[in-house]
Amino acid sequence: MPAAKETDPDDTGGRLSAFIRSSDYVRKWLVLGIAIGVIAGAGAVVFFLLLKYASEFLLGYLAGYHIPTPVGEDGNHASSGFHRPWAIPLVTTAGALLSASIVAWLAPEAEGHGTDEAIEAVHSYPANIRSRVVLVKMVASALTIGSGGSGGREGPTAQISAGFGSLLTRKLNLSDEDGRIAVAIGIGSGIGAIFGAPLGGAVLATSIIYREDLEYRALVPGFIASATAYAVLGSIMGFEPLFGFVDAEYRFESAWPLLWFAVIGLVAAAIGYLYARVFYWMVALTDRLPGGVLKPAVGGLLVGLLGLLIPQILSSGYGWVQEAITRQTLMTIPLWIVVVLPIAKIVATSLSIGTGGSGGIFGPGIVIGAFVGAAIWRVADVFDLPGVPDDPGIFVVVGMMACFGSVAHAPLAIMIMVAEMTGSFAAIPGAIIAVGIASLLMSHSGVSIYRSQRLNRETAAAERADTSARE
């Protein structure tokens, strides 16, 4: 009977199911990878536009504030300034409240940053991501981030393609192993698509689900899905890197200036550690407090008030990273803001997403890391310390890589992604030092920004076997 089920064209998924399950490795993942990639790319475009229009209406029209955007979007580098400052806290509060209400009503599991839930699905329920969650996550995240909440857009896009991978697993009756790969490459291709980083997205699919291991079986399918997603997104939105082509060249005439990258690695590890600790402290505190959907609303109010003092914490913040990349634009930001911004962004993200709002934590991690590098450069420049480059670009790029690469336990994937986002692989020599130091320190701490990550393949397999035995 089991053998007949494998080839019966009338079972779950019909003829397509039988075709996929009887195909060899290459044919199977060529079909599945392209399908997941198409959805990842299209989903990234849809969410990007949804977020853009939400931001233009909520922050732009209602609050009278237009955030700067990076080169890869429309290249508006200048903030409009606050025309109606009193409206900022009102909009952030209303956006958070509406977002939380939609989530509580339609799909409570869409609460939070999304990527962690997708990672958990890889390990525990690859066939059971509800399609409703994807739609709710998109709308709720657009409201949270579009109203000024500090969050990233990768969470919803990861859930779109991961949810489609789960749908394929269900409808085609794929094995659990294939289902886990389908959801994993959905995560990687979705994140890679929204950031225009296909190679990094493919590598991320193999590394983000473990802290100390790689899911090598997802690599080739990940290449197919990520390349397809990038082609779909680029054909509609263009192929410009998110932050343009950053001039991050740094000529080493002696070895000792490499110490600056060791400094970036040490500081990035400390800030990354703080990011994870503060974020999950806020999650734990919120869980203990009463209030339901009012808790994200209070978080939105506090973010709006903080945003009046430090506007750079509002929304995604990618436009401010663009300003930090060159000396001319970075010097227009007050020194004290550059120095405190990594901490302020941690607090804002914890208030926006840690209280139950909807959005990603990958994007804020990139912004936090960028300003770690920018702050080190600004302070060194003030004191005219030797070995510091004339332009902050390489410090900003390496800070992005080291901070989030270490706390996400995906150093190689994040290095590649940031290099693709900035169009610069010239930063890699210095990044190896910074990312290496930060990752070693973070591995020793045992802290991760993604709590659903398992230690390695062996522990994940043992956990699944134990769960099956109990059932």
Side-chain angles (χ1 to χ4, degrees), residues 224-246:
I224 297 168
S226 290
T228 303
Y230 182 62
V232 171
L233 179 97
S235 64
I236 299 171
M237 307 296 297
F239 293 96
E240 179 85 0
L242 181 62
F243 299 114
F245 292 91
V246 178

Side-chain angles (χ1 to χ4, degrees), residues 128-148:
N128 294 326
I129 298 177
R130 290 202 299 167
S131 300
R132 176 189 295 183
V133 173
V134 173
L135 297 175
V136 171
K137 189 71 178 178
M138 288 178 63
V139 174
S141 297
L143 289 169
T144 298
I145 305 169
S147 63

Side-chain angles (χ1 to χ4, degrees), residues 51-70 73-85 87-88 91 145-148 307 311-312 314-320 323:
L51 178 57
K52 177 183 177 181
Y53 295 132
S55 179
E56 288 177 352
F57 177 74
L58 296 172
L59 276 180
Y61 178 74
L62 296 181
Y65 176 65
H66 296 276
I67 59 176
T69 53
E73 294 179 9
D74 58 22
N76 174 28
H77 303 323
S79 166
S80 67
F82 294 129
H83 296 295
R84 291 189 290 276
I88 296 293
V91 169
I145 305 169
S147 63
Q312 290 80 4
L314 294 173
S315 199
S316 63
Y318 304 138
W320 293 109
E323 296 213 348

Side-chain angles (χ1 to χ4, degrees), residues 203-447:
V203 177
L204 189 69
T206 72
S207 56
I208 198 171
I209 58 178
Y210 300 116
R211 292 200 302 274
E212 297 180 2
D213 208 343
L214 296 174
E215 182 52 81
Y216 65 90
R217 291 168 295 188
L219 186 58
V220 173
F223 285 149
I224 297 168
S226 290
T228 303
Y230 182 62
V232 171
L233 179 97
S235 64
I236 299 171
M237 307 296 297
F239 293 96
E240 179 85 0
L242 181 62
F243 299 114
F245 292 91
V246 178
D247 182 10
E249 291 191 13
Y250 190 50
R251 299 182 183 277
F252 298 104
E253 297 179 355
S254 60
W256 75 265
L258 288 168
L259 291 174
W260 279 114
F261 296 99
V263 171
I264 293 174
L266 291 170
V267 178
I271 295 297
Y273 179 88
L274 186 66
Y275 183 25
R277 286 297 193 188
V278 171
F279 181 83
Y280 285 110
W281 175 82
M282 182 61 70
V283 171
L285 176 63
T286 301
D287 288 343
R288 292 197 298 269
L289 295 175
V293 297
L294 294 179
K295 291 183 284 187
V298 172
L301 174 62
L302 295 175
V303 168
L305 294 173
L306 180 60
L308 293 177
L309 181 64
I310 308 175
Q312 290 80 4
I313 60 98
L314 294 173
S315 199
S316 63
Y318 304 138
W320 293 109
V321 174
Q322 189 76 64
E323 296 213 348
I325 285 172
T326 63
R327 182 186 188 97
Q328 181 181 1
T329 49
L330 178 59
M331 297 301 282
T332 63
I333 304 175
L335 176 61
W336 74 270
I337 287 184
V338 175
V339 172
V340 305
L341 188 53
I343 305 299
K345 190 68 174 175
I346 290 172
V347 172
T349 306
S350 300
L351 289 170
S352 295
I353 311 303
T355 58
S358 188
I361 56 176
F362 184 118
I366 293 295
V367 177
I368 291 164
F371 277 90
V372 166
I376 292 172
W377 184 88
R378 279 291 298 270
V379 171
D381 185 69
V382 166
F383 292 100
D384 195 23
L385 298 178
V388 177
D390 294 332
D391 198 82
I394 191 169
F395 276 30
V396 171
V397 171
V398 171
M400 286 190 268
M401 295 175 175
C403 185
F404 199 74
S406 61
V407 77
H409 294 273
L412 179 59
I414 304 303
M415 282 177 64
I416 296 171
M417 289 189 73
V418 172
E420 291 178 291
M421 290 157 60
T422 57
S424 176
F425 282 83
I428 295 298
I432 291 173
I433 296 172
V435 175
I437 290 173
S439 297
L440 286 173
L441 292 173
M442 200 63 67
S443 295
H444 182 71
S445 74
V447 170

